[in-house]
Amino acid sequence: MKLHGYWRSTAAWRVRLALHLKGIAHEQVAVNLLQGEQRSAAHLALNPQGLVPVLETEGAALSQSLAIIEYLDERFPQPPLLPADALGRAQVRAAALTIAAEVHPLGNLRVQRWLKAEMHADDAAVTAWLHHWMHDGLAALEQFAAQHGGNYLFGDAPGLADLCLVPQLYNARRFALALDMFPRLLAVESRIAATAWAHAAHPDSCIILP
């Protein structure tokens, strides 16, 4: 397997967490988003959207982090990233999508650049935009953890939603969002950070690009 990603991409980080949690051997291929390598002909041949991550496996190129993670969970079912029951799976997917579909897309690099170039937003306005949407999603997840959480967002084993949470909290700190109102989320993050698999997936452990 080859994982094409950028060291600080939260979407690529989710996939790295899944790979390391499951102990799946893989090769990392660096794609420098700041230098526009995601728009190169070679990368567009793998993913016409020009995004990361992309996982090359079984002669195919898979895109979209949650689709990749669910593929990995089906191919390598231990440890499972989704509950055994249909209701639990739906709840965990909803929590994961709170980050992957609601928060992350509104704050990624191409959106920030568009806000500045097309809407003439300055750095303060972009930061205010990011804070609003990140706070909105994290507040919802804090409530989710209060209803469904144990040691993790859902129950007592790390799952799909936790893999989305950890990179998003890192990103929130990059933009100086206060996180003290999310104690349950911080407790989950701390628990995951103590593991060897999470350390191996952390941006500081990856190929670092400027």
Side-chain angles (χ1 to χ4, degrees):
M1 288 187 185
K2 290 184 179 180
L3 178 65
H4 299 253
Y6 180 62
W7 66 285
R8 206 162 57 187
S9 160
T10 59
W13 189 353
R14 296 169 202 151
V15 177
R16 293 198 305 268
L17 284 165
L19 288 164
H20 286 289
L21 173 58
K22 289 178 174 288
I24 302 170
H26 63 284
E27 174 187 348
Q28 287 192 57
V29 180
V31 180
N32 192 326
L33 302 184
L34 299 184
Q35 294 182 4
E37 291 179 357
Q38 71 275 25
R39 305 302 302 175
S40 69
H43 190 77
L44 289 172
L46 295 173
N47 181 3
Q49 278 192 293
L51 300 174
V52 295
V54 174
L55 184 72
E56 287 190 84
T57 180
E58 299 186 287
L62 304 179
S63 62
Q64 294 295 336
S65 61
L66 296 197
I68 294 171
I69 293 170
E70 290 217 34
Y71 160 81
L72 294 172
D73 205 34
E74 292 175 10
R75 286 277 285 105
F76 304 91
Q78 297 302 322
L81 298 176
L82 289 165
D85 63 296
L87 181 59
R89 289 195 298 273
Q91 290 168 325
V92 170
R93 287 183 176 117
L97 287 165
T98 299
I99 296 295
E102 303 290 343
V103 177
H104 169 249
L106 292 170
N108 68 15
L109 182 61
R110 61 178 180 163
V111 170
Q112 293 179 50
R113 287 175 169 172
W114 188 88
L115 288 170
K116 292 179 179 181
E118 301 298 329
M119 302 301 292
H120 311 294
D122 60 15
D123 288 343
V126 171
T127 298
W129 166 277
L130 295 170
H131 280 196
H132 174 80
W133 295 115
M134 285 191 285
H135 185 279
D136 187 71
L138 293 174
L141 281 182
E142 181 73 12
Q143 292 184 38
F144 179 90
Q147 292 177 309
H148 303 288
N151 287 330
Y152 298 92
L153 284 178
F154 188 93
D156 291 318
L160 178 63
D162 304 290
L163 305 189
C164 295
L165 173 67
V166 169
Q168 187 58 56
L169 291 176
Y170 174 96
N171 206 38
R173 290 191 183 91
R174 283 185 59 215
F175 294 98
L177 177 68
L179 297 174
D180 54 310
M181 68 287 291
F182 309 124
R184 292 179 178 85
L185 304 187
L186 295 177
V188 170
E189 179 193 39
S190 178
R191 194 165 285 113
I192 291 174
T195 66
W197 56 269
H199 177 76
H202 194 279
D204 292 346
S205 301
C206 298
I207 300 169
I208 296 182
L209 301 174

